[in-house]
Amino acid sequence: MIRFLTAGESHGPALSGIVEGLPANLPVDINAVNHQLYRRMQGYGRGGRMKIETDQIEVLSGLRFGLTIGSPVSFIIRNRDWENWTEEMAQFEGQSRNRITKPRPGHADLAGALKYGFNDIRNVLERSSARETAMRVAAGAFARELLKALNVQIYSHVLQIGQVRAEQTEIDEILRSDRINELADRSEVRCLDPKQEARMIEHIHEIKRQGDTVGGLIEIIVRGMPPGIGSYVQWDRRLEARLSAALISIQAVKGVEFGIGFDGVALPGSAYHDEIFYSEERHYYHGSNRAGGIEGGMTSGEDIVIRIAKKPIPTLMKPLISVDMESKEPFKAHKERSDITAVPACSVIAENVIAPVLADALMEKFGSDNLPEIIEARERYLQKIGIKK
């Protein structure tokens, strides 16, 4: 099993993580790991925190001479902003001079304070903050090194921000290529449609002027997964369930769909399901991919296509009404430094949070303690089912 844990507060000394289950002898390109962290920090509409941090990991264990050694990989990302918070976030002696008692609508503030019995909401917001996703991206980047060795690639792009949506006809050709991330990374909003990219940026600017925030729609594409990964035999082994859980766990993500998703409810079955064909060149294949690459909890051999909906960030410069937890009087909610939108960043985060899920599912099928044996098992399977390398 490939699994990971993260720890750390948004304004604490550092974020930390540990990844367990990576096979031995897996080459790890630390520059590739740090590049994923860099990609997460980009995007039009980000706030002041991204001007402070320069996220790079420090590996503490699990690697020797650039190869995994089969033991847990542990690492940290130091928070540069910590120097401004040493008194307010002191871990031992001291007390808060600025207790937060006004929960922000749309955040974990109220429920978290009630659940854990806090009289200072900072204890909640420090951990529930999306700053935590930096460590999840780092953990996912290690899993991507295994996926890369098994010829699996993950792509993403932004389909929609607010009311502005990319035109499908303008991006279809790019989506069939292997340049999705290359071209999306060139865009400040990770949009593949240049005309709509400009409109998205204009829309974000207008939302900022209004003191508001905006959400969006993201598409993730996984290419290179062989058929039969995942399982139908138990609910918690179905691959779309595992992928959905990883994606919905990202802060502010409120919806997940595969293939044509919710649009498919308007179609009759004859127009929805993907017909199956066979050829010597492609072996079994589908005439369409409305299922999004997963059928019966398992990969079909087609691209996995997932879309996620990210709500507008709930921290607003024109705060909504809330209630002070001490006085019980109505107040305008507490303001914390925030982005106008983090949809482009969420696109990169989504790529990386599903990487451990995909790697774990592949290990269930081809698993071993070291990489060469995993690659050999994969090649045997592909040969057995008639798929050319």
Side-chain angles (χ1 to χ4, degrees), residues 176-189:
R176 289 191 290 268
S177 74
D178 61 358
R179 301 183 65 204
I180 301 170
N181 282 352
E182 174 193 342
L183 296 176
D185 285 351
R186 294 180 187 176
S187 165
E188 289 187 283
V189 288

Side-chain angles (χ1 to χ4, degrees), residues 65-284:
F65 307 133
L67 297 174
T68 56
I69 56 176
S71 56
V73 177
S74 62
F75 42 92
I76 63 172
I77 298 173
R78 299 192 186 276
N79 287 325
R80 288 190 173 187
D81 206 15
W82 159 246
E83 63 187 41
N84 300 314
W85 292 81
T86 53
E87 292 186 11
E88 189 64 29
M89 290 297 294
Q91 292 156 323
F92 295 100
E93 297 181 0
Q95 60 182 0
S96 176
R97 298 177 181 177
N98 300 290
R99 285 194 304 115
I100 301 171
T101 60
K102 303 179 181 69
R104 299 162 297 170
H107 277 280
D109 297 358
L110 177 60
L114 294 173
K115 174 181 174 65
Y116 290 103
F118 295 139
N119 67 357
D120 185 353
I121 292 170
R122 180 157 297 284
N123 290 341
V124 178
L125 66 86
E126 283 290 331
R127 180 58 183 167
S128 63
S129 165
R131 174 71 182 146
E132 179 264 348
T133 61
M135 192 48 58
R136 280 200 268 173
V137 167
F142 279 101
R144 287 180 90 142
E145 294 293 279
L146 176 56
L147 296 178
K148 182 169 63 177
L150 298 176
N151 298 322
V152 176
Q153 298 295 328
I154 307 174
Y155 306 99
S156 73
H157 64 107
V158 172
L159 270 173
Q160 183 173 344
I161 291 181
Q163 299 176 0
V164 184
R165 180 160 182 154
E167 296 291 341
Q168 198 69 38
T169 54
E170 296 296 321
I171 64 175
D172 275 344
E173 185 175 347
I174 296 173
L175 296 181
R176 289 191 290 268
S177 74
D178 61 358
R179 301 183 65 204
I180 301 170
N181 282 352
E182 174 193 342
L183 296 176
D185 285 351
R186 294 180 187 176
S187 165
E188 289 187 283
V189 288
R190 295 191 53 75
C191 178
L192 298 173
D193 180 345
K195 291 181 180 179
Q196 298 302 81
E197 173 194 16
R199 290 191 60 207
M200 286 178 185
I201 291 172
E202 182 181 341
H203 184 52
I204 294 168
H205 182 73
E206 176 60 21
I207 289 292
K208 180 179 181 179
R209 189 188 65 79
Q210 296 171 10
D212 220 324
T213 61
V214 66
L217 188 65
I218 296 158
E219 185 170 78
I220 307 106
I221 299 170
V222 181
R223 194 162 285 158
M225 290 286 285
I229 304 303
S231 181
Y232 59 86
V233 301
Q234 290 289 355
W235 65 270
D236 59 347
R237 293 179 63 189
R238 289 177 172 267
L239 188 57
E240 71 264 56
R242 295 154 70 177
L243 291 167
S244 297
L247 290 165
I248 209 73
S249 74
I250 301 171
Q251 290 86 335
V253 170
K254 302 299 285 186
V256 180
E257 66 177 13
F258 291 80
I260 61 173
F262 295 110
D263 289 342
V265 301
L267 300 177
S270 57
Y272 182 101
H273 297 292
D274 304 311
E275 294 182 309
I276 301 171
F277 301 89
Y278 181 88
S279 72
E280 290 294 329
E281 180 66 25
R282 296 185 60 187
H283 199 55
Y284 294 106

